[in-house]
Amino acid sequence: MACLFCQNGSKTFSRLEPIQELSQTPNFPIHDIVGETLNPYREIYECSECHQYWWIRVKGTGDPRSTYPEYYEQTAELIDDQRLELIRNPSVDHLLRYGGFNYPYSFFTEVLEKIAVKESDSLKQIFLKRTQNLPSSAKLWLRTWFQREFPNEFLDEKTKGFPSEVSLLHTMREGESILVTEWISIDQFVILSILDDTYTLTAFHFIEKRILWSQSVKRPFTEGLSIPYLFYQSGHLCYYQGFQKGSEYDSKLNRPNELLLFDLNGNLKISIPLAFRCYEVLSTEERDVSEYRVVHNFSFTIIDETLYLPHGNQIHIYNLKSKQLIQTLKSPNGDAFSGKTFLTETGIILFHTLKGVFAINNDCEIVFQYSSKFHPVFIDSKLNFYYYYAIVDNIQTGEQKRFLKTHDSGIKLPFEITSPPLEFKNRILIPFVWDKSYLLDDKLNIMKELDFTCTDTLGPHSFAVTKSPILIVEDKLVFTNDYHSIQMIDEMGNEIIHFPIQSEVIKLFSFDGKHTVITLSCFDEYSEENQIELILLAENGEQLLRKIFPGPEGLSVNFDGFLIFMQQNLIYSYDLFQEIERIKNPK
């Protein structure tokens, strides 16, 4: 008996069988589809007469709400000529050419076993280069195979990490783990590490490769929101430690317990117990504008050695030279201080609260105030208040502007803002939820409509402490949209680059104000280690570099483009610009 293709030209076949016993899978016959078979791989059957190949599989089917399937379905698909090349002639060349096609999951394990006998060295290079256009099952097999066949090289690769063109900077103590690094000058960075439940800040000189100072600290704030707990701000090294429990049900309501400020020589300037609070947007009338979410006032501002810090519904003002609390302000209407403070050209200090703004003079007298009924998601320099449902209030003129989406039926619905608007060069960019953004002039007139948006950080479940998905780099904007795409536009809204991505954007930053660094989550079956993919863009949007690094813990870049990253207790450096030259001009 020949196969279905030989008999009547059928290229697909399907049949159902009702479930009899939940513990058993029906044993469908194969011979009435394929006839007499030559059976090279599981699920792939070769007809002994015409030598065509069929992929035959069995799966449960029925109501998806049911715990158990109602039927089992057998399907058969005649394999096309392209996929046949790898089946009939297993080789590294055919694996790289056709490995992205659809095959049974177990197929790559079986075919790689055959390839490894003849082309072991070529498979080794695939693993070392981390070739990406292969399915997960092939990568997993290669990792297991490489570890078994080349154990010493596997351990070496695991220790030094990827990429290979790196320099060892420093070896920490055995068993010490590095949590984060932060550059405090062009040639100095600070490491936060842990060893035996002891946390230490260590400053390291990049050029001289030596430790400058070391300070013991308490446990960092890690039990809740993903906020930076070690960062540089206005000439100070800032550190959040400890935590206040906000809820036994939701860890995102936990807050840091203490703020530490160090000078750049490692001297503790001030340690302040924190009284941060969360504010829930709950009222019916507010949800029509601001949407339901929880608001945190975590940020603070340092201006001329003066610290402006939220403390409940008050503002505590510290002189960092005298290390003293010098003034306590209560905001008008009891609105909570957001932590954002601005010094105007006339010497007036302007505070943003969670619902408005107010200003004081040198004598701390309130000279201006405005409080909204709602929570704005952004306040620009002209004191326009932007709300979640694309409503903009100008508090100085009393004018209001709304941005509406018009459907084919004629119905107009308000847009929803995905992330806070961005102000640059007398322009405002507003990204909307429905895959659209507007570029406005300084009078809020629409200059250009863009057919893309960015990662949603302001939705109903947002906790108001989010990564920024849009970056200003000189006169250009870089958009990042999780699992979707990266775009760059100029100040007139003209698209410069647009390329797809397939993973989460972890961080977006520029180390020199010209080049853009994008780090993406990278779940790569070639490694069990935590790792990221780093993309470096030039000013014109050109992709200069795309590499996989261990991380993201401990990865940072200085102004000159030197990247440091960690692997266990080892600190490595990597010259991004030297690598770019090496790629452009290989020896």
Side-chain angles (χ1 to χ4, degrees):
M1 176 181 172
C3 69
L4 287 177
F5 185 77
C6 298
Q7 295 174 48
N8 52 31
S10 298
K11 293 188 177 181
T12 59
F13 178 84
S14 177
R15 59 184 164 200
L16 292 173
E17 183 169 315
I19 294 296
Q20 304 296 332
E21 293 289 338
L22 294 177
S23 60
Q24 295 180 350
T25 303
N27 185 19
F28 287 98
I30 301 295
H31 68 273
D32 55 354
I33 301 173
V34 185
E36 296 300 323
T37 67
L38 301 172
N39 192 358
Y41 305 103
R42 280 176 290 174
E43 297 189 54
I44 298 179
Y45 297 85
E46 179 186 0
C47 173
S48 59
E49 293 189 19
C50 68
H51 297 285
Q52 293 288 341
Y53 287 80
W54 290 81
W55 179 0
I56 302 176
R57 47 198 150 170
V58 176
K59 65 176 182 178
T61 186
D63 189 339
R65 295 169 297 177
S66 174
T67 305
Y68 300 102
E70 297 174 14
Y71 292 88
Y72 274 106
E73 179 183 30
Q74 183 189 45
T75 58
E77 171 192 352
L78 191 66
I79 294 177
D80 54 74
D81 291 339
Q82 280 188 309
R83 287 183 291 173
L84 280 177
E85 285 297 321
L86 181 55
I87 295 172
R88 287 176 171 162
N89 303 300
S91 67
V92 167
D93 180 56
H94 286 157
L95 176 69
L96 296 176
R97 191 179 304 177
Y98 306 113
F101 288 87
N102 195 18
Y103 292 94
Y105 184 83
S106 61
F107 169 74
F108 288 98
T109 298
E110 297 167 311
V111 80
L112 281 164
E113 293 283 358
K114 296 184 177 183
I115 295 174
V117 175
K118 298 181 294 183
E119 300 183 74
S120 175
D121 288 341
S122 297
L123 287 182
K124 178 180 176 181
Q125 291 306 311
I126 289 177
F127 176 83
L128 293 174
K129 292 177 181 178
R130 292 188 160 198
T131 304
Q132 293 302 309
N133 62 334
L134 292 176
S136 296
S137 57
K139 294 176 184 175
L140 285 168
W141 185 92
L142 283 166
R143 187 180 78 200
T144 304
W145 170 81
F146 189 88
Q147 185 174 6
R148 183 183 68 242
E149 297 295 323
F150 308 99
N152 294 332
E153 293 180 60
F154 181 83
L155 288 174
D156 185 47
E157 289 294 329
K158 186 175 180 180
T159 300
K160 75 179 183 183
F162 296 95
S164 56
E165 299 292 327
V166 297
S167 300
L168 178 63
L169 269 184
H170 183 65
T171 302
M172 305 292 282
R173 293 168 291 181
E174 188 68 30
E176 191 166 12
S177 298
I178 298 166
L179 301 179
V180 66
T181 62
E182 180 71 7
W183 290 91
I184 57 175
S185 72
I186 198 168
D187 53 13
Q188 296 178 29
F189 60 89
V190 175
I191 304 159
L192 174 65
S193 61
I194 177 176
L195 177 65
D196 298 331
D197 294 328
T198 299
Y199 294 86
T200 307
L201 292 176
T202 305
F204 192 84
H205 199 288
F206 177 72
I207 305 298
E208 299 174 3
K209 296 186 179 181
R210 63 183 179 89
I211 292 175
L212 298 173
W213 54 262
S214 184
Q215 280 278 6
S216 293
V217 290
K218 295 179 182 177
R219 182 183 182 89
F221 173 68
T222 54
E223 296 90 349
L225 291 161
S226 293
I227 62 173
Y229 47 80
L230 180 69
F231 52 97
Y232 174 91
Q233 185 169 320
S234 302
H236 297 82
L237 183 67
C238 310
Y239 180 67
Y240 284 132
Q241 68 181 17
F243 81 104
Q244 303 172 46
K245 195 165 189 64
S247 168
E248 58 185 299
Y249 303 107
D250 193 340
S251 65
K252 288 190 176 180
L253 296 177
N254 296 334
R255 287 92 71 192
N257 188 56
E258 193 173 9
L259 170 65
L260 274 57
L261 297 183
F262 296 88
D263 66 21
L264 302 188
N265 294 316
N267 301 309
L268 179 63
K269 297 194 73 169
I270 198 166
S271 171
I272 307 172
L274 299 176
F276 291 169
R277 294 171 60 184
C278 305
Y279 303 88
E280 291 188 326
V281 179
L282 285 172
S283 62
T284 304
E285 65 272 15
E286 181 144 355
R287 288 181 62 186
D288 293 339
V289 179
S290 301
E291 187 53 85
Y292 169 79
R293 62 185 176 276
V294 176
V295 179
H296 291 274
N297 57 335
F298 277 106
S299 61
F300 57 88
T301 304
I302 301 173
I303 301 175
D304 296 332
E305 289 295 306
T306 302
L307 170 70
Y308 300 90
L309 180 73
H311 191 94
N313 287 345
Q314 297 180 330
I315 302 172
H316 283 193
I317 305 175
Y318 290 85
N319 184 309
L320 296 180
K321 291 181 179 178
S322 66
K323 304 181 181 181
Q324 298 296 318
L325 175 65
I326 58 173
Q327 186 74 36
T328 298
L329 292 178
K330 187 162 185 177
S331 59
N333 305 310
D335 289 345
F337 174 43
S338 70
K340 296 179 181 178
T341 309
F342 302 89
L343 181 63
T344 67
E345 293 179 356
T346 58
I348 298 297
I349 298 176
L350 181 70
F351 299 99
H352 285 194
T353 68
L354 294 185
K355 284 197 173 184
V357 294
F358 73 98
I360 62 172
N361 58 20
N362 290 332
D363 298 322
C364 291
E365 298 171 334
I366 295 176
V367 294
F368 171 77
Q369 62 172 294
Y370 178 86
S371 181
S372 169
K373 293 187 293 184
F374 313 112
H375 283 74
V377 299
F378 177 69
I379 303 172
D380 68 22
S381 62
K382 298 183 183 298
L383 300 185
N384 292 307
F385 281 44
Y386 298 76
Y387 300 98
Y388 179 71
Y389 284 104
I391 300 170
V392 185
D393 284 338
N394 186 310
I395 67 172
Q396 295 176 318
T397 65
E399 296 176 350
Q400 185 179 91
K401 184 155 188 173
R402 292 172 178 254
F403 296 93
L404 303 172
K405 178 180 174 64
T406 303
H407 292 262
D408 294 338
S409 61
I411 295 175
K412 294 184 177 181
L413 295 174
F415 277 108
E416 300 159 22
I417 300 177
T418 56
S419 289
L422 202 64
E423 186 176 16
F424 72 110
K425 290 206 169 187
N426 296 320
R427 289 174 174 78
I428 296 287
L429 177 89
I430 307 184
F432 295 119
V433 167
W434 291 333
D435 296 328
K436 193 175 292 296
S437 299
Y438 283 168
L439 191 63
L440 312 177
D441 63 19
D442 56 358
K443 294 181 174 57
L444 303 183
N445 299 310
I446 299 172
M447 293 178 57
K448 190 156 188 176
E449 185 177 301
L450 306 171
D451 290 327
F452 50 80
T453 187
C454 64
T455 302
D456 187 355
T457 66
L458 290 178
H461 306 294
S462 167
F463 282 83
V465 179
T466 56
K467 59 194 176 190
S468 175
I470 309 174
L471 178 70
I472 302 173
V473 185
E474 291 195 324
D475 58 347
K476 301 177 182 66
L477 294 182
V478 180
F479 283 67
T480 60
N481 198 351
D482 282 352
Y483 299 94
H484 191 271
S485 60
I486 307 291
Q487 284 96 1
M488 178 185 281
I489 62 171
D490 64 20
E491 59 186 293
M492 300 306 295
N494 301 310
E495 186 174 278
I496 299 171
I497 61 158
H498 179 187
F499 61 89
I501 57 173
Q502 294 182 325
S503 57
E504 178 191 7
V505 178
I506 297 176
K507 197 172 182 181
L508 171 69
F509 65 96
S510 176
F511 53 86
D512 60 359
K514 298 179 180 179
H515 296 82
T516 302
V517 176
I518 305 159
T519 58
L520 308 173
S521 60
C522 181
F523 300 101
D524 187 348
E525 291 83 356
Y526 285 119
S527 173
E528 296 174 323
E529 306 299 319
N530 193 20
Q531 56 191 11
I532 60 165
E533 184 177 20
L534 183 142
I535 302 172
L536 178 64
L537 302 180
E539 300 164 72
N540 62 359
E542 178 190 358
Q543 283 194 48
L544 299 176
L545 202 62
R546 193 161 185 165
K547 291 281 187 180
I548 294 174
F549 289 91
E553 296 81 5
L555 185 143
S556 58
V557 186
N558 78 347
F559 185 84
D560 287 336
F562 283 99
L563 179 146
I564 55 174
F565 68 93
M566 313 298 138
Q567 188 74 300
Q568 297 172 348
N569 66 328
L570 305 175
I571 307 174
Y572 292 96
S573 69
Y574 186 69
D575 188 337
L576 296 177
F577 294 126
Q578 187 179 73
E579 174 65 7
I580 293 165
E581 283 299 316
R582 192 181 67 82
I583 293 172
K584 289 182 178 179
N585 302 298
K587 293 180 181 178

